[in-house]
Amino acid sequence: MGFSQALSGLNAASKNLDVMGNNIANSQTIGYKSATMQFADVYAGAKVGLGVSVAGVQQNFKDGNLEATGRNLDLAISGGGFLRFDQGEQIVYARNGQLTMTPDGYLENAQGGRLTGYPGAAGNGGQLQQLNIPAVGLPAKATEELKATLNLDAGMATLDPAAFDPLKPATYSYANGATVFDSQGSAQTLTLYFLKTGVNTWEVKAARATPEGQEFSADTTRLTFDSNGLLQGSSSISGGVAGTASSPYESTPVTFALTGGANNLDFQLNLTGSTQFANEFELGSLNQDGFTSGSLVDISVDKKGQIIGSYSNERTQVLGTIAMANFRNPEGLSPVGGAWVETSDSGQALIGEAGTGLFGGIEAGVVETSNVDLTKELVNLIIAQRNFQANAQTIKLQDEVLQQAVNLR
């Protein structure tokens, strides 16, 4: 039986060399995980062992180093988990995040697998699908709210609102410009006129610039301040008739009739946080939520796996969220060349969002290098070579013993 024992050792040693050779060959493969041969002795009831068998090949899912590339479609996982790809008729899982964009907007790896995830922002959930970057631009959004915080000078003289004339600065206390957008994305230039009309009361008139001059909103906002100079309430004056004053303060409507196909401009004027102190007029902030249309100019990926589109109108939008996967037993996954597929040993895939629970964060502009320790593999290769030689020497010695037995007379 000495021959069979040595032969089993040669076969096992040969396969061990194959595993090490594969590790060394993939020492520069992005996302590769090294493997180790597991041996088991064979007894089968005999007092002397019957040799050795290959019990399995164990994968080492230790993280590799992250290496910067500067390319926004190169992704790496910092921590546990896998990227999920729809590849042909099967779902595969990979640590290699080197992606390219197809002409129709899908994100693919080198094997043709398409990255999967959820539409829109993280947390939306829904049905997993192949992520697609739409070629269409970002449509315009009409302004729905104009926010401003300012200080109105409490020492200003009281004015008669009936004498207001935008061409006569003496008939109003203060004026400030603002820009809003209509439903077609056209910028509309506004002027807000502030008039002190009584003790702790002000009126705000909104005007839109037109080729003929200015068009005023049918609604005028009346502001009421308390004795400490804090904004207390507001009401809307339409056609000279004041509505019921609100307390605490609420935003008020501003409306303009537009021509040229756009919807009427209708938004809320929000002056929350404004004050009436005995200081000069001061504009603290001015913001509005509308914007013109824009074309997609770039995409990026954040740590949560959100794919963010940047547009020519300086706006951003979450186009999709990358789905992460993990397993109770990653070592039970079956390799399929650059990726893995789930098996009964690995268990079903656990799907979630990057940076939560079992899932690591996603890093853009970097890749995960192979976790092969080349120095260690070369040392192990020498040991494996000596193991092969020792088994070959065993066969040689068994041959010599058999030859001597044959030569006995």
Side-chain angles (χ1 to χ4, degrees), residues 143-150 192 194 204 221 223 231 234 249-254 267-274 283 285-289:
T143 298
E144 296 179 353
E145 185 178 52
L146 175 64
K147 291 184 177 181
T149 57
L150 44 86
L192 301 178
F194 297 84
V204 185
T221 298
L223 302 177
L231 186 58
S234 67
Y249 170 77
E250 293 180 359
S251 57
T252 53
V254 177
F267 61 90
Q268 294 291 312
L269 178 62
N270 187 340
L271 299 176
T272 302
S274 294
L283 181 65
S285 65
L286 181 64
N287 298 288
Q288 59 85 38
D289 58 1

Side-chain angles (χ1 to χ4, degrees), residues 13 52 62 75 101 115 120 122 128 138 140 152 156 184 204-205 216 236 248 255 270 293 320 347 354 407:
V52 64
K62 175 185 176 182
L75 306 180
M101 186 183 296
L115 187 66
L128 282 169
L138 187 66
L152 301 174
M156 293 296 293
Q184 294 181 344
V204 185
K205 299 179 181 293
F216 279 84
S236 178
T255 305
N270 187 340
S293 60
N407 291 336

